[in-house]
């Protein structure tokens, strides 16, 4: 008995050490899935969480956000101001989705963001888009100045897809494509937000993106649902 107690006592620090190491590893993995500038999820982590939300909720909106005038802020006030615009946008998205269990926001790259959020009903979507657009385009403070950027937001609803039209793992990608098409339309009109309703993406797809779209963003304009 004394031998067993001695063995357990000796193993205690080792077990504690592995517990601390495991916690450290989990934190490192979580940090790796976060964009270091915005603090939002990266694309891979976002798609994994979005898939779970879509599987569990009857009404889900997928949003794609692209900033307008971001390059002008960068060019005129410097990269630090551009970084501040990215952080301010991330904060606006987090605030807008904060009280929605299952909502997830991500920075996909450059000045492009995405979100998935449950809705109580599809009729809630215009209210959500209007509020989010107002949050993102509100002035943010940097180096003693109030700066602003515009935003183009496209949306798609999970109900836009026919039942069984896509395998569970593909649903997020299809809805992001629909949201991208909506964002492209409103960007061309000058910015704002847009939800076109049901329908397949009008443009071709290259590696999961609208064909002809350069990099991670383009430059569009104002519309409404």
């Amino acid at each position: 008995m004394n031998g067993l107690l001695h063995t357990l006592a000796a193993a205690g620090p080792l077990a504690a050490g592995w517990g601390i190491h495991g916690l450290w590893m989990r934190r490192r993995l979580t940090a790796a899935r976060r964009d270091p500038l915005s603090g939002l999820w990266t694309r891979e982590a976002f798609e994994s969480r979005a898939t779970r939300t879509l599987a569990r909720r009857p009404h889900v909106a997928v949003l794609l956000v692209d900033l307008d005038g971001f390059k002008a802020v960068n060019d005129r006030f410097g990269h630090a101001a551009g970084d501040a615009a990215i952080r301010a946008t991330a904060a606006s998205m987090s605030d807008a989705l904060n009280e929605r269990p299952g909502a997830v926001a991500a920075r996909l790259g450059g000045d492009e963001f995405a979100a998935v959020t449950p809705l109580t009903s599809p009729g809630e979507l215009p209210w959500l888009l209007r509020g989010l657009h107002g949050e993102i385009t509100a002035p943010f403070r940097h180096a003693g100045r109030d700066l602003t950027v515009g935003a183009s937001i496209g949306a798609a609803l999970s109900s836009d897809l026919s039942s069984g039209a896509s395998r569970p793992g593909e649903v997020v990608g299809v809805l992001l494509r629909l949201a991208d098409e909506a964002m492209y339309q409103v960007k061309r009109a000058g910015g704002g937000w847009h939800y076109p309703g049901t329908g397949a993406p009008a443009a071709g797809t290259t590696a999961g993106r609208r064909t002809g779209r350069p990099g991670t963003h383009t430059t569009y304009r104002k519309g409404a649902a």
Side-chain angles (χ1 to χ4, degrees), residues 143-201:
R145 292 187 176 93
D146 285 331
L147 304 179
T148 59
V149 289
S152 295
I153 308 174
L157 285 174
S158 55
S159 56
D160 291 345
L161 301 181
S162 301
S163 178
S166 300
R167 291 191 293 270
E170 298 175 342
V171 170
V172 175
V174 173
L175 289 173
L176 279 172
R177 290 288 298 115
L178 288 169
D180 184 59
E181 288 296 334
M183 197 227 349
Y184 176 74
Q185 292 179 46
V186 76
K187 179 80 98 171
R188 287 192 304 179
W193 54 270
H194 183 50
Y195 167 62
T198 58

Side-chain angles (χ1 to χ4, degrees), residues 117-136:
T117 180
L119 303 175
T120 54
S121 72
E124 186 184 359
L125 182 57
W127 176 86
L128 170 66
L129 294 173
R130 189 178 300 113
L132 179 60
H133 186 266
E135 285 259 4
I136 293 173

Side-chain angles (χ1 to χ4, degrees), residues 43 47 64 112 172-174 176-178 180 201 204-211 213:
R43 177 185 286 271
E47 290 183 353
L64 203 63
E112 184 179 60
V172 175
V174 173
L176 279 172
R177 290 288 298 115
L178 288 169
D180 184 59
T205 302
T206 302
R209 307 306 303 269
R210 174 170 31 80
T211 299
R213 188 173 188 199

